[in-house]
Amino acid sequence: DKDMSPTGNSYSAQIENNAGEFNYGSLKINSPYAKLTADGYFFNEVDGELSTSTIKLDAIVDLSDNQTINVNVLTHLKSQRIVYLVTSKGKTYKEANEQAQSELLAVFGLQDYSTQDASQFSLIGGDDAAGALIAVSSLVLSDRSEAQIVEYLSKLTNEFGSTGTFSENTKS
């Protein structure tokens, strides 16, 4: 809901193709906000192979604002930050999403892409936002086993969630 409290309603959809497309149909929900979780195998852009294990990525989105939604590394990294800013700092979803987006992309030196929501970034988009997403994904994937990727994403998400940045140790 608007306070980021789970409503208890859950819906599922299947990923339809290798581009990661899914369709949640016409849901009748009381709040426009949703936590989307993509769970499955992924393509590792660094080594050019499909994963042998699964990963879960989240996105906190306003469904009324989007025709197309992508769940990706950026939406995952900012998801806990959005919840934190709404629940602990009294921000609206829109304010929290914009702040989390701005902070996250600035940490990676990609602040020029902060005007487009990360849920609109697609690896296959063929635009500059796709390049920004590939850059961040590559940093996360580089020189890590699949288990280490999951562990690293968890560390990044938790650290960024409450601070809006990463420690100097994490950055290095």
Side-chain angles (χ1 to χ4, degrees), residues 26-156:
S26 58
L27 299 178
K28 296 191 187 305
I29 57 177
N30 294 332
S31 171
Y33 309 112
K35 176 181 178 182
L36 303 180
T37 301
D39 180 8
Y41 296 94
F42 64 97
F43 182 76
N44 185 320
E45 296 87 19
V46 173
D47 66 17
E49 301 286 329
L50 281 177
S51 66
T52 57
S53 60
T54 62
I55 193 169
K56 284 186 181 183
L57 295 177
D58 293 330
I60 306 287
V61 297
D62 181 347
L63 297 174
S64 66
D65 233 7
N66 295 295
Q67 292 295 321
T68 301
I69 298 170
N70 294 301
V71 179
N72 57 53
V73 169
L74 291 172
T75 63
H76 183 76
L77 290 174
K78 72 177 189 168
S79 62
Q80 284 187 22
R81 182 70 175 155
I82 293 169
V83 172
Y84 174 81
L85 291 170
V86 170
T87 60
S88 298
K89 300 297 181 186
K91 305 260 184 189
T92 65
Y93 167 82
K94 183 178 181 185
E95 293 167 337
N97 186 45
E98 288 173 358
Q99 180 176 334
Q101 174 94 6
S102 178
E103 291 168 338
L104 181 61
L105 291 173
V107 169
F108 289 106
L110 299 168
Q111 55 275 8
D112 290 349
Y113 304 98
S114 64
T115 57
Q116 180 183 0
D117 190 85
S119 68
Q120 301 301 304
F121 288 25
S122 170
L123 288 176
I124 60 172
D127 56 8
D128 289 341
L133 180 56
I134 288 170
V136 174
S137 293
S138 296
L139 286 171
V140 170
L141 298 171
S142 289
D143 299 322
R144 290 184 179 83
S145 69
E146 291 173 5
Q148 289 171 323
I149 292 167
V150 171
E151 180 182 39
Y152 190 56
L153 278 172
S154 178
K155 176 184 176 178
L156 292 174

